[in-house]
Amino acid sequence: MGETTQDHDVLVIGSGAAGLTAALELAEHKRVLVLAKGSLTGGSTAWAQGGIAAVLDAGDTFDNHIRDTMVAGAGLNDRAAVEFVIEGAPKAIDRLCELGVPFNRESGDLHLTREGGHSHRRIVHVDDATGWAVQSALLKAAEANPNITLLPHRTCIDFITDRHREQFSAAGRVWGAYALNEETGRVERHVARATVLAAGGAGRCYLFSTAPRGATGDGIAMAWRAGARVSNMEMMQFHPTCLYNLEVKNFLITEAVRGEGGRLFNPATGERYMEKYDPERMELAPRDIVARANDDQIKRHGLDYVHLDISHQPAEFVKEHFPTIHEKLTSLGIDMTKEPIPVVPAQHYTCGGVVVDLKARTDLPGLWAAGECTESGLHGANRLASNSLLECFVFGEAAADDILARWDTLEEPPAILPWDESRVTDSDEEVVIKQNWTEIRRFMWNYVGIVRTTKRLERAKHRIELLKQEVEDYYGSFRVTTDLIELRNLLQSAELIVKSALARKESRGLHYTMDYPETLEEARDTVLVP
Ligand code: FAD
Ligand code: SIN
C-alpha cells in the first residue's frame, strides 16, 4: 500500500507551461502540489524553439491573428476560444517578462520573428530556444513559492474518482490521482479538492516525432478512462522540417528558419518545389501544406529527405538568429551558413484532446485541464505556429481563476481506497512492453500518418484490437512500471486517433485521406464519448 498526500488543496499534473502557469496563479491563495513524470523539465515546453505568437506590433491587429488562426485551422476552430486566447496574449507576455524571460529585443522593443501561416511578424522569442527560457523562468518562480510543492518522478496512473471512495459512488467526480513513485516503485494517493490536468500531448504514438519521450498521451487516456469526452484526435500535426540524421532522430529545425528566408529544394532535381503546392505563400504556407509537400516529394522521388536552405543569408545573420541550431548542426558536420540542411516531416503536436470550455473545465466535476492535452477550440484542424505555448498560458490561468472563484462550492475530499496490488506480481517479461511500444509507433507512422486511406486506418484499428487484449492482460497481472503505464496510454491514444480518423469522411486541415479528398461545407468536431 502506498502513501497518501493530502496537505495541499489543488493537484496539478504536469510541470510544463500549462501546469506551472496554473500552479503559480493558484499559489497566491492555495497550497498546490505539482507532479511530473521524470524530471520537472521533461515536457515539450523546454524543447520549444520558435516562440510565442502575440499581437504586439502597431501594424498588426487581433483580427489579423484571429483570421490567420482560423485559416490554418480550416474553419474547425471555435471563434470564441480563438478570440479568448489571442486577446489574452499581450498580458501573458507581460507576465513572462515580469518572471524574467529574456526575450530578444531590438532598440528596446521585443523582436518579432515570422512563421508559416502568420500574415505579420508576431512571434516573440529567446533566440531559437524560447521553450527552455520559459520553462526555466516558470520553474524558478515555482521553486521559490512556499505554497508550491514540486514532486518529480511521479507517473500518474489514473484519476481517483468517486469509484475509489471508501463509500463507493458512481458519480464520477475527480479527487486527485494515483501515481507511481518512480524512485520507490510504490503507488501513492494524491488526494485533492481540485485537480488540473496539464500532461501534454501524445506525439510518441508515432515512430518519428519531435516530442520528448514522455509525450505518450497519459493525460488524454486518463481523462477518457474516467469518463471525459475527447475530440479531434485525428488532427495530428506533422512539422515539415525535422532534421534527417541517422543518429539524432528528433531534432527540430524551427519554422523561423523559413520565416527568415529559408527555402525548400528537392535535392535530386534542385527544384524549389513549393511553387507547385502553394505558389503564393511558398515555404510560409501553413504547416499541413508544407508537410504534405515534403512528404510528397520524398515519396514521389524515392528520397530520404528534402533540403532546407538558408545559406543565401549572411553567415552572421544565420548564427545570430539560430545559435542553438547552428551549434547542433556544426557538431554533426553540417554548416548551415554554407550548405542546405537535410529535413523530413515528423509528428509534432496533438491538436485534439480532452474537451474543455473557456474556463478550462472538463466534463468531470473536480477536473480542469489546460495545454496540449486539451481540445479547447483554438487550433481547429491545424495549429498555427507558436499558438500552443500561448494557449498554455491563457488556459492555465483560466483554470486557476475558475478554481479560485468556485472554491467555496468544492467539497472536501472523502476517504479514498488505497491502490490495490493484491492480484499482481512483478513482471517477468519486460520485452513484451518494448515490442508492443515499437509496433504501435511503427503502424501509426505507416498507416495513420500524413496521408491516410480507409484501408490503412482499418489495418491500424485491427492491430490495436489485438494489442489491447494483450496489454490489458499484462496490466492486470503485473505491478505497474512507468513503461507499462505509458504503453497502456499510448495504445489508448492510438485508438482514439484511429477512431476519430475513421469517423471523419472528408479531408480538412491535418486530416488528409485519399478516400475523401473533398472538404465538406460544414466544419464539425469529431467528438468521442466514453
Ligand atoms: P508539456 O510541456 O509537454 O508538459 C507535460 C508535463 O506533464 C510534463 O511535466 C510531464 O512530465 C507531465 N506528465 C506527462 N504525463 C504524466 C503522468 N502520467 N504523470 C505525471 N506527469 C505527467 N509551441 C509554441 O507555441 N512555440 C514553439 O516554438 C514550439 N516549439 C516546439 C518545438 C518542439 C520540439 C516541440 C516538441 C513542441 C513545440 N511547441 C511549440 C509545442 C509546445 O512546446 C507544447 O505544445 C507545449 O509546450 C505543451 O505544454 P504543456 O504544458 O501542455 O505540456
Ligand atoms: C517551430 O519553432 O517551428 C515550432 C513552433 C511551433 O511548434 O509552434
Side-chain angles (χ1 to χ4, degrees):
M1 188 196 302
E3 299 159 38
T4 307
T5 63
Q6 213 167 351
D7 54 352
H8 51 269
D9 303 306
V10 184
L11 171 66
V12 175
I13 301 173
S15 58
L20 291 183
T21 300
L24 287 166
E25 186 83 5
L26 284 159
E28 288 182 18
H29 304 278
K30 301 291 165 203
R31 294 157 311 155
V32 186
L33 174 67
V34 179
L35 302 180
K37 183 166 71 172
S39 84
L40 293 167
T41 56
S44 292
T45 298
W47 293 33
Q49 290 187 354
I52 306 161
V55 173
L56 297 169
D57 180 62
D60 197 4
T61 62
F62 287 144
D63 276 348
N64 289 335
H65 191 180
I66 290 167
R67 193 179 48 247
D68 293 344
T69 300
M70 299 201 55
V71 167
L76 196 65
N77 325 62
D78 172 356
R79 184 159 178 119
V82 176
E83 286 173 6
F84 178 60
V85 173
I86 284 166
E87 289 170 11
K91 182 176 165 210
I93 302 296
D94 278 352
R95 220 176 26 215
L96 292 169
C97 290
E98 280 163 23
L99 288 178
V101 177
F103 290 118
N104 288 39
R105 290 182 181 267
E106 213 170 37
S107 323
D109 293 332
L110 290 169
H111 177 261
L112 303 174
T113 189
R114 191 161 177 183
E115 290 181 344
H118 288 275
S119 56
H120 284 73
R121 285 187 169 263
R122 63 167 78 98
I123 318 294
V124 296
H125 63 107
V126 182
D127 296 329
D128 54 354
T130 309
W132 184 251
V134 167
Q135 178 77 66
S136 307
L138 289 170
L139 203 49
K140 195 169 157 208
E143 279 165 347
N145 192 313
N147 272 348
I148 298 181
T149 305
L150 296 159
L151 281 187
H153 304 293
R154 300 297 193 284
T155 305
C156 291
I157 307 167
D158 267 317
F159 289 116
I160 295 169
T161 66
D162 281 324
R163 290 188 301 124
H164 306 103
R165 297 166 78 132
E166 282 182 6
Q167 300 292 319
F168 175 86
S169 153
R173 196 216 193 271
V174 169
W175 299 106
Y178 290 107
L180 172 70
N181 180 328
E182 293 160 25
E183 280 151 356
T184 64
R186 304 187 72 174
V187 176
E188 302 166 341
R189 281 171 283 184
H190 297 285
V191 180
R193 205 150 136 176
T195 301
V196 180
L197 178 66
R204 283 289 167 146
C205 282
Y206 287 87
L207 190 59
F208 301 106
S209 171
T210 63
R213 189 190 172 292
T216 47
D218 297 5
I220 297 169
M222 281 168 65
W224 172 259
R225 284 194 293 268
R229 283 171 308 155
V230 161
S231 91
N232 295 347
M233 286 298 287
E234 74 278 28
M235 298 305 176
M236 201 41 96
Q237 184 170 74
F238 293 82
H239 197 291
T241 59
C242 178
L243 175 69
Y244 173 82
N245 185 282
L246 295 180
E247 281 155 42
V248 180
K249 293 260 180 335
N250 59 351
F251 186 71
L252 180 74
I253 308 294
T254 176
E255 188 142 338
V257 170
R258 279 175 285 128
E260 297 299 341
R263 300 165 184 164
L264 288 162
F265 292 97
N266 180 315
T269 63
E271 183 191 10
R272 189 176 172 197
Y273 52 80
M274 278 312 297
E275 183 92 59
K276 282 209 299 247
Y277 300 91
D278 197 317
E280 214 168 288
R281 294 173 294 185
M282 298 288 286
E283 283 84 0
L284 287 178
R287 239 170 232 184
D288 56 327
I289 295 169
V290 185
R292 266 200 301 279
N294 291 0
D295 183 63
D296 187 47
Q297 288 291 308
I298 288 170
K299 294 211 168 105
R300 198 180 288 273
H301 295 267
L303 307 170
D304 287 330
Y305 51 80
V306 290
H307 271 155
L308 172 63
D309 192 8
I310 193 166
S311 63
H312 54 281
Q313 295 281 30
E316 276 320 303
F317 173 92
V318 173
K319 284 194 247 175
E320 192 193 323
H321 278 76
F322 308 109
T324 315
I325 295 174
H326 179 261
E327 192 184 316
K328 180 77 180 181
L329 294 180
T330 303
S331 77
L332 296 169
I334 302 167
D335 183 349
M336 71 187 285
T337 67
K338 295 204 177 84
E339 60 187 317
I341 309 162
V343 291
V344 285
Q347 188 288 338
H348 182 61
Y349 184 81
T350 311
C351 290
V354 182
V355 175
V356 289
D357 66 12
L358 292 189
K359 293 180 190 297
R361 292 180 191 167
T362 69
D363 292 335
L364 305 176
L367 182 67
W368 285 254
E372 193 169 336
C373 63
T374 66
E375 202 285 297
S376 68
L378 171 66
H379 306 306
N382 184 19
R383 176 179 68 100
L384 184 65
S386 289
N387 265 357
S388 53
L389 282 172
L390 180 57
E391 182 189 39
C392 293
F393 305 129
V394 174
F395 273 92
E397 185 184 348
D401 289 348
D402 193 49
I403 291 169
L404 295 174
R406 300 185 58 206
W407 190 255
D408 292 341
T409 68
L410 301 175
E411 298 155 72
E412 284 287 349
I416 297 294
L417 292 169
W419 183 251
D420 180 7
E421 285 200 333
S422 59
R423 287 185 292 267
V424 292
T425 58
D426 282 330
S427 155
D428 55 357
E429 273 202 284
E430 291 285 323
V431 66
V432 173
I433 297 179
K434 199 168 168 203
Q435 163 66 29
N436 287 342
W437 178 295
T438 312
E439 194 175 336
I440 295 168
R441 298 185 68 206
R442 221 169 251 291
F443 72 67
M444 287 299 286
W445 181 258
N446 289 329
Y447 298 158
V448 198
I450 298 175
V451 175
R452 299 164 180 174
T453 66
T454 304
K455 201 165 161 190
R456 286 184 207 156
L457 293 175
E458 289 288 356
R459 282 210 171 103
K461 186 174 164 223
H462 181 61
R463 299 299 314 140
I464 289 168
E465 276 158 13
L466 294 176
L467 285 174
K468 254 182 104 172
Q469 191 57 48
E470 194 169 316
V471 171
E472 278 311 314
D473 285 352
Y474 199 91
Y475 182 79
S477 309
F478 298 112
R479 240 171 230 116
V480 287
T481 60
T482 293
D483 284 349
L484 176 55
I485 295 165
E486 288 183 335
L487 172 65
R488 182 176 178 235
N489 293 329
L490 203 70
L491 188 59
Q492 181 60 76
S493 303
E495 186 183 26
L496 294 170
I497 297 165
V498 172
K499 249 192 187 168
S500 304
L502 278 166
R504 189 171 288 282
K505 307 281 190 234
E506 63 165 347
S507 291
R508 181 184 296 275
L510 297 162
H511 177 70
Y512 183 81
T513 162
M514 295 206 284
D515 293 304
Y516 301 98
E518 306 299 329
T519 302
L520 298 178
E521 208 156 296
E522 192 190 354
R524 298 181 73 155
D525 290 322
T526 308
V527 182
L528 300 181
V529 182

